[in-house]
Amino acid sequence: MDAKNLPDIINKSESSFSYSLDKVGMEGIDIPIRLKGSEHFLKARVDIYVNLTNEKSKGIHMSRLYLLLIDSFKKKEFTHEAFLTLHKDLCRSQVNNSDKSYLNVKLDYPLMKKALLSPFEAYRFYPIKIISSYEQGGELNLEYEIDILYSSTCPCSASLSNQVIREGFLTKLAALRDSSYEKIKEMVESNDFLVATPHAQRSLARVKFQLHENQLNFENLAQTIIEIEEVIKTPVQTVVKREDEQEFARLNSQNLMFCEDASRAIKNYFVKNARRFSSYSLKVSHYESLHSHDAVAISS
């Protein structure tokens, strides 16, 4: 059957209620995208919407949004210019029924990370969400959300553990009052010397921000990830040999933190770099190993 002869209810009927709608579209569309300068594709999940300004229109042409999305990422690198063109095309595709478009792109961004001490490196993938909006005749607005995993050792637990270790050491030392260095060394190196350990947990910093340079730029995002990890000092690792694990333990002991400490350190990063960021918000979650609940701190 000729597609031209198929009924089109969108064009031939009106809505029962006369209202405009803020967003209409689709969520969770899986597509491959190719970053600028790369030959490889990354899997992305996209939410795509336009507004519906015509109060009488039955609905939008969703298939047009889908086909534009697929065609854009299939033929072009994922650049600012391609992204802006796609937004403009989404509005135009609805034949005067839409003047705003919205795209959320979620992907895992790869960064090569070196081991702490050993001569190895491997990729870490960082969940990134790009939240974009466009109004006809205006500029493309971009907001980013990045998840950064790290380790946090509880200061209170470290203090309490140290007290148990210290008291145990002094008690055993008193029993070896006139012992030689070798006897004391043997005691310290025994398996039962470490009688308590502080609790640490995998933790998550979810940062959301807008850049003054309102351009889609993955190098800028990579820089932000690296700098926040330097602020936190204990990001999760990729390759871990024994020397790396020992160094990670040392870093944890030198950077004890409550969720409030981590949140304030990241907040300070955004404050110090205010020339780069026009807005920010953050949520720090420490997935407690002591409790069944999480400790969180939020700031903006």
Side-chain angles (χ1 to χ4, degrees):
M1 182 180 291
D2 189 349
K4 293 181 180 179
N5 296 323
L6 295 175
D8 186 355
I9 191 172
I10 297 296
N11 291 329
K12 294 184 178 180
S13 62
E14 293 186 353
S15 173
S16 303
F17 302 98
S18 298
Y19 296 111
S20 62
L21 298 172
D22 295 338
K23 290 182 181 180
V24 184
M26 294 163 282
E27 295 183 340
I29 303 171
D30 288 330
I31 60 168
I33 64 170
R34 185 162 50 91
L35 303 184
K36 185 177 181 180
S38 174
E39 298 179 358
H40 304 290
F41 286 88
L42 296 175
K43 178 185 174 182
R45 178 158 289 186
V46 179
D47 305 328
I48 184 170
Y49 321 89
V50 292
N51 64 342
L52 181 56
T53 56
N54 187 340
E55 297 180 351
K56 293 292 186 180
S57 176
K58 187 70 173 174
I60 68 166
H61 295 274
M62 287 202 185
S63 61
R64 295 178 186 177
L65 303 185
Y66 183 84
L67 291 172
L68 282 168
L69 175 68
I70 298 301
D71 189 59
S72 177
F73 286 114
K74 181 171 62 177
K75 294 182 178 180
K76 303 173 185 175
E77 293 179 330
F78 188 32
T79 64
H80 185 87
E81 293 74 18
F83 208 32
L84 176 58
T85 298
L86 173 58
H87 269 279
K88 291 178 178 178
D89 290 343
L90 294 176
C91 290
R92 285 194 286 259
S93 73
Q94 301 305 311
V95 194
N96 299 321
N97 280 344
S98 302
D99 59 10
K100 295 178 183 177
S101 58
Y102 308 87
L103 280 164
N104 300 331
V105 180
K106 288 165 275 190
L107 58 90
D108 289 334
Y109 183 70
L111 271 180
M112 184 65 75
K113 305 291 290 183
K114 292 182 178 180
L116 288 172
L117 293 178
S118 65
F120 303 104
E121 58 183 12
Y123 278 109
R124 274 271 294 118
F125 286 82
Y126 294 83
I128 290 178
K129 184 177 181 181
I130 302 166
I131 304 160
S132 63
S133 62
Y134 170 77
E135 185 171 1
Q136 280 183 331
E139 295 182 353
L140 181 60
N141 293 308
L142 297 167
E143 190 173 23
Y144 305 96
E145 184 179 277
I146 301 176
D147 286 357
I148 299 175
L149 284 171
Y150 62 97
S151 173
S152 61
T153 300
C154 175
C156 181
S157 181
S159 176
L160 295 169
S161 298
N162 284 341
Q163 182 187 39
V164 174
I165 294 170
R166 185 169 59 251
E167 290 177 351
F169 172 73
L170 292 175
T171 299
K172 291 179 179 179
L173 190 61
L176 298 172
R177 188 173 305 161
D178 298 319
S179 297
S180 65
Y181 169 80
E182 289 300 325
K183 282 286 186 181
I184 296 173
K185 181 173 180 288
E186 182 182 337
M187 177 193 73
V188 172
E189 291 179 345
S190 66
N191 290 331
D192 61 349
F193 178 74
L194 187 63
V195 292
T197 58
H199 74 83
Q201 53 266 324
R202 184 180 295 178
S203 304
L204 173 69
R206 175 163 289 166
V207 295
K208 196 173 184 178
F209 56 88
Q210 287 182 300
L211 294 162
H212 279 303
E213 179 195 23
N214 195 32
Q215 293 282 317
L216 181 62
N217 184 335
F218 281 96
E219 290 182 0
N220 208 330
L221 297 185
Q223 177 187 351
T224 302
I225 292 170
I226 292 168
E227 290 175 348
I228 291 178
E229 287 190 336
E230 289 173 350
V231 166
I232 291 295
K233 295 183 172 59
T234 53
V236 298
Q237 301 296 302
T238 53
V239 181
V240 176
K241 303 293 284 183
R242 280 178 294 177
E243 59 266 38
D244 303 313
E245 186 163 358
Q246 187 180 64
E247 177 65 6
F248 192 65
R250 187 187 69 81
L251 287 170
N252 270 269
S253 71
Q254 292 185 350
N255 296 282
L256 306 173
M257 67 183 93
F258 294 123
C259 62
E260 296 94 331
D261 298 314
S263 182
R264 284 171 173 148
I266 298 172
K267 183 182 182 77
N268 185 59
Y269 164 78
F270 282 110
V271 171
K272 288 177 64 177
N273 291 276
R275 291 184 178 181
R276 282 180 57 207
F277 302 100
S278 56
S279 68
Y280 71 90
S281 63
L282 63 100
K283 179 180 180 181
V284 162
S285 301
H286 287 190
Y287 303 134
E288 290 275 356
S289 59
L290 175 64
H291 306 289
S292 61
H293 53 264
D294 304 329
V296 302
I298 299 170
S299 187
S300 62

